[in-house]
């Protein structure tokens, strides 16, 4: 008996020792400062604000039924870019793609693989009925209290302006990159990018140009995003989730509702939806999400660090805790969201068929085919058919242990010295899914945003601070000088 206690006590001491040592060694990852000499640029915040303000006044709106009637605004906007940034247009080669997407090529001095900075200048419409909710009109470009207001201020004209202003500042200093640096300003991101980003990818493929990497929207420097975390999180996203929409169709006996059978198309469908909801795709900490949470946890208190430093022991517990929040759940697994329903067109008529639409956002570990099979198995009812209406897989994962990521990370740390820089996963779909087919695609806008700012995306009172515009120019000028 005594011996058992002794053995247990020794085991406990060893276990505690291992946990503590692992935790003490679990310290923040240092981004090694780049040896590349970069000249600090001091951007003029007021000039940047004025430029973004003017850019916002062009109604480059992508309407669901297409931009056909609206192309005059797109042409006027690209003309405005040429007039506002003459130095860039005089020194870089302009390739127009499908007329409205601009691809600018800054010739480098060596034959090293080029890089691509991409941003889109089309914007979503203002939701009908919400015009009056805006503090300042969405297309007036009002500058008030250190903020520039309007549609596109965050998504994504601010990036277009910051990149153009950066190139202008560097050209004024006589800078020439070593490798070719391309800028793509695309015009149909909000419509699926057929004529913009997808055509940009084709342009490079047709010329056999292999990019070293691309950078586009898809994440920010996130402030106050995690409770109890006083540092900002600069999540440079190295992958994005895929997308799958399936339509469930349940069949039953139609007829009058006064004498219904036991199971109707609607009840069969309802039970199918519940079965899918109750069978979430398996998930958990691994790959990009594990890297991200681990990097952040290195800056947390001893208790949290201990858990992430000892995943061999605590992973099951962490999976439960993270799963509990909607954002954690979205990082850890393929999410399931029933979105549309239809049945009978009349209250006293039993429909012969009822349909539901379920949207999944695919974690990199799941393919569309696997998820469809998962759904079929979960429903397990021949009266329900499952049909894929739209699908694309999660992107490949760009490396975070190479020079490209180090360049991005060190430029981020230069501008945001108090932020935790980490690779991350974009849970929505961005143009980088096209770029990722041919190169290492990174997703990041060098601007600090809060949860509150996120409401402005495709919503009301979209705005950005002048300070953010200044930060963005500091970031891009630093990054470009490393190329
Ligand atoms: Zn966008």
């Amino acid at each position: 008996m005594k011996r058992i206690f002794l053995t247990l006590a020794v085991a406990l001491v060893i276990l505690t020792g291992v946990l503590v040592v692992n935790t003490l060694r679990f310290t923040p990852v240092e981004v090694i400062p780049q040896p590349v000499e970069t000249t600090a640029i001091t951007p003029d915040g007021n000039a940047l604000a004025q430029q973004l303000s003017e850019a916002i006044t062009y109604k480059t709106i992508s309407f669901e039924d297409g931009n056909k009637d609206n192309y005059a605004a797109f042409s006027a906007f690209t003309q405005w870019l040429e007039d506002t940034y003459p130095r860039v247009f005089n020194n870089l080669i302009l390739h127009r793609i499908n007329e409205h997407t601009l691809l600018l090529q800054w010739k480098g001095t060596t034959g090293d693989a080029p890089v691509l900075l991409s941003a889109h200048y089309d914007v979503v419409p203002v939701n009908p009925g919400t015009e009056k909710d805006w503090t300042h009109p969405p297309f007036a470009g009002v500058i008030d209290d250190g903020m520039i207001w309007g549609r596109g201020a965050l998504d994504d004209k601010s990036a277009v302006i910051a990149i153009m202003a950066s190139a202008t500042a560097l050209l004024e200093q006589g800078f020439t990159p070593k490798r070719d640096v391309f800028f793509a300003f695309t015009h149909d991101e909000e419509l699926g990018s057929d004529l913009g980003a997808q055509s940009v990818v084709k342009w490079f493929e047709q010329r056999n140009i292999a990019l070293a990497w691309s950078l586009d929207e898809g994440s920010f420097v996130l402030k106050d995003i995690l409770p109890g975390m006083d540092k900002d999180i600069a999540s440079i996203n190295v992958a994005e989730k895929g997308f799958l929409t399936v339509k469930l169709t349940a069949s039953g006996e139609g007829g009058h509702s006064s004498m219904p059978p036991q199971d109707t198309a609607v009840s069969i469908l309802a039970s199918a939806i519940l079965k899918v909801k109750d069978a979430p795709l398996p998930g958990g900490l691994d790959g990009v999400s594990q890297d991200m949470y681990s990097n952040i946890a290195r800056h947390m208190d001893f208790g949290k660090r201990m858990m992430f430093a000892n995943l061999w022991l605590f992973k099951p517990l962490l999976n439960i805790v993270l799963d509990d929040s909607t954002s954690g759940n979205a990082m850890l697994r393929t999410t399931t969201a029933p979105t549309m329903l239809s049945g009978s067109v009349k209250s006293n008529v039993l429909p012969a068929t009822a349909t539901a639409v379920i949207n999944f956002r695919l974690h990199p570990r799941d393919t569309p085919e696997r998820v469809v099979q998962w759904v079929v198995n979960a429903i397990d009812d021949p009266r329900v058919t499952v049909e894929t209406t739209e699908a694309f897989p999660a992107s490949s994962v760009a490396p975070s242990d190479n020079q490209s990521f180090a360049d991005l990370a060190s430029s981020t740390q230069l501008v945001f010295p108090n932020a935790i820089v980490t690779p991350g996963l974009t849970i929505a779909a961005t143009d980088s899914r096209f770029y990722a087919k041919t190169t290492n695609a990174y997703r990041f806008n060098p601007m600090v945003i809060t949860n509150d700012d996120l409401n402005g995306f495709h919503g009301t009172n979209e705005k950005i601070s002048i300070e953010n515009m200044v930060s963005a120019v500091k970031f891009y000028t630093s990054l470009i000088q490393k190329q």
Side-chain angles (χ1 to χ4, degrees):
M1 197 66 183
K2 210 172 157 190
R3 199 185 207 134
I4 293 173
F5 274 124
L6 196 64
T7 313
L8 274 177
V10 169
L12 201 63
V13 168
I14 292 173
L15 176 67
T16 311
V18 168
L19 294 183
V20 170
V21 168
N22 281 348
T23 309
L24 292 176
R25 289 168 58 190
F26 195 65
T27 51
V29 187
E30 290 290 322
V31 175
I32 298 149
Q34 295 310 295
V36 183
E37 286 280 319
T38 59
T39 311
I41 301 283
T42 315
D44 177 349
N46 289 331
L48 286 169
Q50 189 56 40
Q51 288 159 28
L52 179 58
S53 156
E54 284 176 29
I56 287 170
T57 61
Y58 292 87
K59 294 187 175 178
T60 49
I61 303 171
S62 274
F63 291 104
E64 270 304 302
D65 52 357
N67 292 338
K68 264 197 302 302
D69 304 328
N70 203 31
Y71 276 143
F74 288 69
S75 299
F77 178 75
T78 55
Q79 183 59 53
W80 174 84
L81 281 177
E82 292 195 33
D83 296 341
T84 309
Y85 304 101
R87 212 179 267 270
V88 178
F89 283 88
N90 288 336
N91 286 279
L92 277 64
I93 304 164
L94 171 64
H95 310 278
R96 274 187 183 266
I97 296 178
N98 295 317
E99 196 175 342
H100 300 290
T101 280
L102 307 186
L103 183 65
L104 284 154
Q105 182 177 13
W106 196 343
K107 276 289 204 183
T109 52
T110 69
D112 291 356
V115 298
L116 171 70
L117 305 185
S118 183
H120 66 93
Y121 69 88
D122 62 321
V123 298
V124 291
V126 170
N127 301 328
T130 65
E131 293 85 351
K132 290 213 157 47
D133 301 336
W134 285 70
T135 305
H136 297 293
F139 293 100
V142 170
I143 304 169
D144 181 25
D145 204 17
M147 309 289 286
I148 306 117
W149 293 66
R151 183 57 91 222
L154 281 169
D155 184 15
D156 181 31
K157 278 180 174 162
S158 43
V160 177
I161 300 306
I163 291 170
M164 285 306 247
S166 298
T168 300
L170 291 172
L171 286 165
E172 278 170 2
Q173 304 214 343
F175 170 79
T176 308
K178 289 189 284 302
R179 57 175 91 219
D180 281 16
V181 175
F182 283 89
F183 304 140
F185 302 125
T186 66
H187 72 284
D188 63 347
E189 191 275 341
E190 304 292 0
L191 293 174
S193 309
D194 285 2
L195 302 173
Q198 295 197 58
S199 298
V200 170
V201 170
K202 281 190 204 120
W203 189 94
F204 285 111
E205 280 173 352
Q206 282 161 1
R207 285 156 186 80
N208 277 324
I209 299 174
L211 294 169
W213 52 262
S214 66
L215 177 67
D216 195 9
E217 64 177 352
S219 184
F220 286 90
V221 182
L222 307 165
K223 192 177 194 63
D224 300 333
I225 228 87
L226 285 181
M229 165 59 74
D230 53 0
K231 287 194 166 201
D232 299 344
I233 295 164
S235 182
I236 299 172
N237 289 359
V238 294
E240 70 186 62
K241 294 181 86 175
F243 187 100
L244 168 72
T245 303
V246 299
K247 184 174 167 189
L248 310 186
T249 304
S251 307
E253 278 175 46
H256 200 277
S257 63
S258 56
M259 205 172 63
Q262 184 64 28
D263 283 328
T264 67
V266 169
S267 69
I268 295 165
L269 180 72
S271 124
I273 296 170
L274 281 178
K275 284 183 198 163
V276 176
K277 175 193 153 284
D278 290 338
L281 273 294
L285 274 176
D286 63 9
V288 185
S289 358
Q290 181 171 312
D291 287 351
M292 193 190 86
Y293 282 113
S294 293
N295 276 330
I296 297 169
R298 288 169 186 271
H299 297 262
M300 292 182 150
D301 57 43
F302 190 85
K304 294 194 183 82
R305 271 169 59 209
M306 185 169 74
M307 292 173 85
F308 279 92
N310 295 282
L311 286 174
W312 59 276
L313 181 63
F314 293 111
K315 198 185 257 195
L317 179 64
L318 283 167
N319 282 337
I320 293 169
V321 173
L322 289 168
D323 253 356
D324 223 30
S325 75
T326 49
S327 58
N329 185 50
M331 288 298 293
L332 261 51
R333 72 177 72 248
T334 293
T335 51
T336 304
T339 52
M340 297 164 81
L341 285 171
S342 74
S344 175
V345 291
K346 205 166 182 312
S347 62
N348 62 354
V349 173
L350 294 170
T353 60
T355 63
V357 170
I358 306 183
N359 182 242
F360 299 87
R361 296 304 173 109
L362 308 177
H363 191 275
R365 74 171 78 81
D366 292 322
T367 61
E369 297 71 27
R370 174 169 190 246
V371 175
V372 169
Q373 195 53 51
W374 183 271
V375 170
V376 169
N377 293 348
I379 295 172
D380 191 25
D381 185 339
R383 297 169 297 178
V384 180
T385 60
V386 179
E387 177 197 349
T388 301
T389 58
E390 198 182 355
F392 53 84
S395 74
S396 54
V397 180
S400 54
D401 59 355
N402 62 357
Q403 186 61 46
S404 322
F405 191 87
D407 283 351
L408 289 161
S410 60
S411 290
T412 305
Q413 284 208 323
L414 175 79
V415 186
F416 308 99
N418 291 317
I420 302 167
V421 180
T422 176
L425 172 69
T426 298
I427 56 172
T430 75
D431 272 351
S432 285
R433 69 184 185 275
F434 306 119
Y435 298 137
K437 286 180 184 163
T438 56
T439 190
N440 293 326
Y442 299 99
R443 302 149 184 84
F444 180 61
N445 281 11
M447 301 157 185
V448 180
I449 63 163
T450 61
N451 259 326
D452 198 35
D453 293 321
L454 290 172
N455 297 330
F457 276 90
H458 297 203
T460 302
N461 283 333
E462 186 175 346
K463 58 183 181 300
I464 191 167
S465 67
I466 297 176
E467 197 185 337
N468 265 328
M469 290 303 291
V470 169
S471 298
V473 171
K474 285 183 181 166
F475 170 87
Y476 289 122
T477 48
S478 159
L479 181 65
I480 293 169
Q481 286 182 73
K482 291 172 186 165
Q483 306 313 315

